[in-house]
Amino acid sequence: MKLNPARAQRLAVSRSGLLGALLLTLATALPAARAGEIEVLHWWTSGGEARAAQALKASMQAKGHSWKDFAVAGSGGDSAITVLRSRVVSGNAPAAAQIKGPSLQAWAREGVLTSINEVARAERWDDLLPQVVSDQMKYRGDYIAVPVNVHRVNWLWVNPAVFARVGAKVPSSWDEFFAAAETLKKAGVIALAHGGQSWQDLTLLETVTLGVGGAEFYRQAFVLREASALNSPTMDKVLSTYKRIKPFTDRNAPGRDWNLATAMVIKGEAAMQLMGDWAKGEFLAVGSQPGKGFICTPAPGTAKSFIFVVDSFAMFKLKSPANSAAQKDLASAVMSPEFQEAFNLSKGSIPVRLGMKMDRFDDCAKASAQEFSTAAKQASLLPSIANGMAAPSSIEWALKDVVSQFWNSDKMSTAEAMKRMVEASRRQ
């Protein structure tokens, strides 16, 4: 049937109105259909870390999802993993959990993680990440985790006002470190803020190992875990240097959280801290600026070397389709340039995504990003043994125990410590 022009126009308008109403209905309904609950286990509970976690929460809420915070404070994540395991065993896993390094593959072997290849392929993660990072995010070729950031471990944090007051020089070698520490101690200042927890004890040792033994020795000792390196004259020198540091810490160090040690430097109660760049987030959280309120410099003897930690979220299998969809949105949000910038500006770390603009980042972060990129190209990045990046958890924990016993004992010799480190490295 042929319509006259006027009727045809009215029908077209009617159809247009119906189509518009339909599109409006779909636009309103789709977010509700996709909306899910995202429960995320993490241990970002200190000032700078908590502010960084809020950036992720805001990103997910903007997509219409509800955020359920599953934060467990303390022990560099040790307590959080204990809680996570009980949740998984009971069949009540969160959508995502902060897990990193070889532990990702261990969880994947248990069959509790889900593939997020759909997101990774669509967004070309293989092209956006250094291979050393993307390999850690995969299990049998499938992405089962999304990387969040990159931390450099081998940093020395300095309160310049304290140094200026006592006339000490910011050290770049271990000889200079001990000279400065003596000056500070004579002036009644705690030279080094330290938290006497096992992961912090081992973090300090790995930094000393790199500074005394060099990158290749570090690789042999803590990545390859060769007995000839762990029980060697070089390791003897490392351990001797390590124990020389303790008199420059304070008697209240045992059990202290790392951020409380950072607070000592911020307040001028201590002059230095050897810690990863998550410490920078604490300075930034109180308005302190690099070069003014604090100085970041490579740990003694470690300039141009890079011990790394990559935080990542493992994605667990979920029963709810809506929550699974939200989980994919979470993975996409974490890798977005917007989140990578916002999160890392708050956290004190650097983006894991290559090719990011660093205009808004401070000089510490710019230097760290440049050295990370160079080391990735040269395949010379060094994973942190103390922070879950270089060894299975059984070996990591065994080494933590040995190192803490050596740190706290006046009777254990370097020879005995080396013997125990060799035994710990053979744990299965």
Side-chain angles (χ1 to χ4, degrees):
M1 180 177 65
K2 184 177 181 180
L3 300 177
N4 64 53
R7 186 178 180 187
Q9 185 177 12
R10 288 195 300 272
L11 185 57
V13 171
S14 176
R15 286 174 176 170
S16 176
L18 287 171
L19 179 59
L22 177 60
L23 290 175
L24 180 61
T25 301
L26 287 173
T28 305
L30 279 176
R34 282 183 58 84
E37 180 183 83
I38 285 291
E39 185 179 19
V40 179
L41 182 148
H42 63 88
W43 52 90
W44 293 323
T45 56
S46 65
E49 292 180 321
R51 187 172 65 178
Q54 286 299 312
L56 184 57
K57 177 180 179 179
S59 176
M60 295 308 298
Q61 289 178 331
K63 292 178 178 290
H65 304 304
S66 62
W67 175 276
K68 187 175 181 181
D69 212 37
F70 184 4
V72 181
S75 303
D78 297 339
S79 299
I81 296 302
T82 300
V83 175
L84 174 63
R85 185 160 295 280
S86 67
R87 284 280 303 271
V88 173
V89 169
S90 66
N92 186 30
Q98 190 181 348
I99 301 173
K100 58 196 174 190
S103 291
L104 288 169
Q105 284 67 46
W107 282 97
R109 283 192 292 271
E110 294 185 22
V112 296
L113 302 185
T114 189
S115 171
I116 50 173
N117 270 354
E118 179 183 343
V119 177
R121 288 172 180 168
E123 299 182 358
R124 302 183 298 106
W125 288 6
D126 280 349
D127 297 330
L128 298 174
L129 298 171
Q131 187 174 347
V132 67
V133 174
S134 61
D135 284 350
Q136 286 200 339
M137 300 301 114
K138 296 177 181 178
Y139 177 68
R140 295 180 177 175
D142 286 347
Y143 277 94
I144 41 81
V146 55
V148 180
N149 57 358
V150 178
H151 281 293
R152 187 185 192 184
V153 175
N154 53 303
W155 282 112
L156 176 67
W157 306 95
V158 174
N159 185 315
V162 174
F163 266 71
R165 188 173 73 241
V166 304
K169 175 187 175 183
V170 176
S172 60
S173 68
W174 285 110
D175 286 342
E176 291 178 354
F177 174 88
F178 289 114
E182 288 285 0
T183 299
L184 290 159
K185 188 174 183 179
K186 288 177 181 178
V189 178
I190 299 169
L192 187 73
H194 180 63
Q197 297 171 337
S198 62
W199 74 271
Q200 293 188 67
D201 293 342
L202 187 53
T203 295
L204 180 58
L205 178 66
E206 71 180 14
T207 300
V208 175
T209 301
L210 179 61
V212 173
E216 186 53 35
F217 178 76
Y218 179 99
R219 189 190 312 279
Q220 293 170 1
F222 291 140
V223 181
L224 302 177
R225 295 181 292 283
E226 295 176 352
S228 58
L230 290 169
N231 190 7
S232 67
T234 301
M235 183 56 76
D236 181 81
K237 184 178 180 181
V238 168
L239 292 171
S240 297
T241 303
Y242 179 64
K243 281 301 284 283
R244 280 186 65 192
I245 295 172
K246 191 173 183 184
F248 299 107
T249 63
D250 68 300
R251 67 180 64 184
N252 296 320
R256 177 186 291 144
D257 287 336
W258 69 268
N259 55 304
L260 299 181
T262 306
M264 293 170 64
V265 181
I266 293 172
K267 297 174 183 176
E269 296 171 359
M272 300 179 283
Q273 183 184 22
L274 285 160
M275 184 54 62
D277 56 16
W278 46 89
K280 186 175 68 174
E282 299 301 295
F283 288 98
L284 298 178
V286 298
S288 185
Q289 295 300 314
K292 298 178 181 179
F294 68 96
I295 293 172
C296 58
T297 187
T302 71
K304 305 301 181 183
S305 298
F306 202 115
I307 301 176
F308 73 89
V309 175
V310 173
D311 286 319
S312 54
F313 283 125
M315 300 298 180
F316 284 81
K317 291 181 178 178
L318 302 174
K319 298 176 183 178
S320 165
N323 290 352
S324 294
Q327 187 182 56
K328 292 176 182 177
D329 283 346
L330 173 66
S332 180
V334 167
M335 276 292 289
S336 69
E338 296 78 13
F339 173 77
Q340 287 281 312
E341 180 178 89
F343 180 88
N344 287 290
L345 282 170
S346 294
K347 186 69 163 61
S349 48
I350 60 174
V352 68
R353 178 179 174 130
L354 295 174
M356 287 282 297
K357 291 183 178 180
M358 298 294 291
D359 298 354
R360 295 183 60 199
F361 288 82
D362 57 64
D363 290 342
C364 300
K366 289 175 181 176
S368 184
Q370 182 176 359
E371 293 186 12
F372 177 75
S373 179
T374 299
K377 293 175 183 177
Q378 297 175 351
S380 59
L381 293 173
L382 301 167
S384 170
I385 185 72
N387 294 275
M389 302 303 298
S393 58
S394 58
I395 292 176
E396 178 188 333
W397 276 101
L399 283 170
K400 285 177 179 176
D401 287 344
V402 172
V403 170
S404 286
Q405 288 169 19
F406 177 69
W407 175 258
N408 292 303
S409 173
D410 295 328
K411 297 180 180 179
M412 187 185 296
S413 66
T414 56
E416 178 64 20
M418 288 188 291
K419 176 184 175 182
R420 294 189 186 185
M421 287 171 68
V422 171
E423 294 172 351
S425 70
R426 293 172 176 166
R427 290 283 296 270
Q428 298 297 323

